[in-house]
Amino acid sequence: MSISAKAADERVLDVRFDDASLIVDLMDGRTISVPLVWYPRLLHATPVQRAGWAKAGAGYGIRWPAVDEDLSTEGLLRGAPAVKAA
């Protein structure tokens, strides 16, 4: 008996927020939820700024131009918080 696995599609489908989390839905049906405190620019952004996201990098990234934040699905899946400024 063989099991065929559907290939992972880590491209962004949708992005949303709750009070404490950034939530990203992927094309393959998975949902990533990470603490909003990991991304200070998004934590301190207004709801309008947070809603102003766009897909980047052929759909494997998310860009918030108003707050100069860029995230990748690869980094989110690894659980990588924002790099702290020196």
Side-chain angles (χ1 to χ4, degrees):
M1 173 197 252
S2 70
I3 299 173
S4 95
K6 188 176 182 180
D9 187 349
E10 298 174 352
R11 291 177 297 153
V12 175
L13 176 65
D14 194 23
V15 175
R16 62 189 186 280
F17 295 86
D18 66 18
D19 291 338
S21 304
L22 162 63
I23 304 160
V24 180
D25 295 321
L26 302 180
M27 296 292 283
D28 64 9
R30 290 181 288 171
T31 299
I32 307 166
S33 178
V34 295
L36 195 50
V37 297
W38 284 7
Y39 306 102
R41 291 178 183 158
L42 294 174
L43 177 66
H44 299 295
T46 67
V48 170
Q49 289 171 320
R50 289 182 190 169
W53 65 275
K55 293 180 186 179
Y60 292 95
I62 312 161
R63 170 117 179 97
W64 287 268
V67 294
D68 194 28
E69 184 70 88
D70 296 276
L71 301 176
S72 70
T73 56
E74 178 185 6
L76 292 169
L77 286 165
R78 275 189 291 119
V83 177
K84 294 184 180 184

